[in-house]
Amino acid sequence: MKRTLWLLILLLALTVTGCRDTSTTSRELFAMDTVMNLTVYQPRAESLLNQAEQEIRRLEALLSVTDPGSEIAAVNRRSATTVTVSQETADLLRLCLGFSEETHGLFDITVYPAVKAWGFTQDTHTVPSEEALAQLVTQIGYEKMAVTDSTVTLPQGMAVDMGGIAKGYAADRIAALWKEAGCTGGILSLGGNVLTVGEKPDGSLFQIAIQDPADAGGMLATLSLPGNTAVVTSGDYQRYFEQDGKRYHHIIDPRTAAPAENSLTSVTVITSCAARGDALATALFVMGLEEGLNYVNQTAGVEAVFVTKQSRVYYTTGLAEGLTPESQQYTFTQKN
Ligand code: AMP
Ligand code: MG
């Protein structure tokens, strides 16, 4: 499904740049459990792509909850309440604590016990009992975590999960590395996290497709956006399992330890920092439509597109110019 999203973006990029264009260099890779695509608007830019791929692999090895060699896995299997971590992991966990505070715990970096209990990291899915869920709720709570420059303190029974921001963070890191290396423009698509970097050679806006949540091959809308803009989507179609006719997806409401249940099927956040956009997309999905719209309208520098299961699309004022509907299956409404 994520591959399809990328193909849509690639298609758009090709439409804009011309099919036999040799002035771009692209690469597709699989990492962080998703398909990723990297494009630089320069010929023979393999070294930039190598640098990006190395950074993705480095972050995956650092942050994966399932790789026993990662620092996050080491934090999660700590035997003492306080463990030592690298400065980068400490900085990143602090960033995540900030996002958890900002979203009043709807993005919660300590959600891992629930993610694990539902089997989303092992792909052996189970629906926990009511008692198990009640117990899991007590094991989630970012307020109980403390981070210094080199240590993490977390009560036993609790664990962290970077899955809700790792791809966004990776996109920000690559953009910074590319700029340092003199890259003038490119586009990153890391499984639902798109980041436009710098400028396109002709100075035109970037065209980014939002996937139709109900049709893996279809486009919901396109966004015309400037460079250095993150477009991050969280959706109930991205990772889920079905049992007894019910869909259980991977975005957990920390208040119930169960998949968030409301009218939404996807949320796309548009903002400058991809890591923050990633955390916000996850949090807004949990928040739901009404509260989510209010939240975005009161937050400077953030726009969003909310899609409901009833095929309604609501988008915030800042997208009035930039959003073009692409599917007639949906009704589109701008919301102030
Ligand atoms: P995303 O695709 O960015 O919405 O992230 C979903 C992933 O983040 C899940 O697969 C979990 O690993 C993790 N996650 C799920 N629910 C939450 C939450 N409420 N807060 C933080 N991380 C979450
Ligand atoms: Mg996210």
Side-chain angles (χ1 to χ4, degrees), residues 60-336:
E60 185 171 31
L62 184 74
L63 305 176
S64 164
V65 277
T66 49
D67 176 352
S70 85
E71 246 190 89
I72 292 301
V75 169
N76 287 347
R77 63 163 184 269
R78 70 201 173 282
S79 49
T81 313
T82 300
V83 275
T84 305
V85 290
S86 66
Q87 173 93 46
E88 183 176 17
T89 298
D91 287 346
L92 197 46
L93 284 170
R94 261 199 301 251
L95 186 74
C96 291
L97 271 184
F99 296 145
S100 303
E101 277 163 19
E102 181 185 350
T103 61
H104 306 293
L106 294 189
F107 173 90
D108 193 317
I109 190 62
T110 67
V111 77
Y112 189 57
V115 174
K116 190 174 176 204
W118 285 88
F120 284 112
T121 42
Q122 304 93 336
D123 280 335
T124 44
H125 301 124
T126 27
V127 179
S129 66
E130 288 301 320
E131 298 77 52
L133 290 176
Q135 169 62 32
L136 286 165
V137 168
T138 69
Q139 292 171 256
I140 304 172
Y142 68 93
E143 313 91 326
K144 295 178 205 152
M145 181 166 113
V147 186
T148 70
D149 271 351
S150 58
T151 66
V152 179
T153 303
L154 196 60
Q156 288 305 323
M158 293 184 65
V160 290
D161 178 5
M162 297 282 187
I165 72 124
K167 295 185 285 279
Y169 177 70
D172 288 331
R173 285 278 315 158
I174 295 166
L177 290 172
W178 278 3
K179 279 175 194 164
E180 257 171 55
C183 170
T184 53
I187 184 161
L188 298 164
S189 174
L190 314 185
N193 290 247
V194 176
L195 181 63
T196 62
V197 183
E199 288 184 345
K200 287 180 45 191
D202 63 1
S204 64
L205 293 172
F206 290 79
Q207 305 298 316
I208 309 296
I210 300 177
Q211 188 187 322
D212 179 347
D215 174 7
M219 270 194 276
L220 176 84
T222 46
L223 298 171
S224 300
L225 297 168
N228 311 316
T229 307
V231 181
V232 185
T233 300
S234 279
D236 66 0
Y237 60 91
Q238 290 175 332
R239 187 161 302 172
Y240 64 88
F241 66 96
E242 275 167 8
Q243 196 169 302
D244 301 327
K246 197 168 165 30
R247 180 187 287 196
Y248 298 99
H249 61 78
H250 69 140
I251 304 169
I252 303 292
D253 185 334
R255 300 165 297 194
T256 60
E261 265 191 81
N262 55 48
S263 64
L264 295 176
T265 182
S266 85
V267 178
T268 299
V269 170
I270 296 92
T271 191
S272 57
C273 166
R276 180 157 176 255
D278 201 349
L280 282 179
T282 306
L284 290 171
F285 191 96
V286 179
M287 217 176 275
L289 178 64
E290 295 297 325
E291 221 189 306
L293 273 167
N294 286 340
Y295 186 93
V296 174
N297 282 324
Q298 286 163 19
T299 309
V302 179
E303 305 295 336
V305 181
F306 295 85
V307 186
T308 75
K309 294 175 186 120
Q310 292 78 35
S311 305
R312 296 187 189 281
V313 179
Y314 299 92
Y315 57 98
T316 52
T317 325
L319 299 173
E321 305 281 296
L323 184 143
T324 308
E326 301 288 353
S327 168
Q328 295 182 345
Q329 306 301 314
Y330 293 82
T331 53
F332 289 76
T333 311
Q334 186 196 311
K335 275 278 191 180
N336 301 328

Side-chain angles (χ1 to χ4, degrees), residues 21-33:
D21 197 344
T22 51
S23 63
T24 67
T25 321
S26 296
R27 179 174 304 173
E28 181 178 289
L29 59 119
F30 189 85
M32 297 185 175
D33 217 15

Side-chain angles (χ1 to χ4, degrees), residues 7-17 207-209 219 222:
L7 285 175
L8 284 174
I9 292 161
L10 180 67
L11 205 66
L12 275 168
L14 288 176
T15 317
V16 176
T17 54
Q207 305 298 316
I208 309 296
M219 270 194 276
T222 46

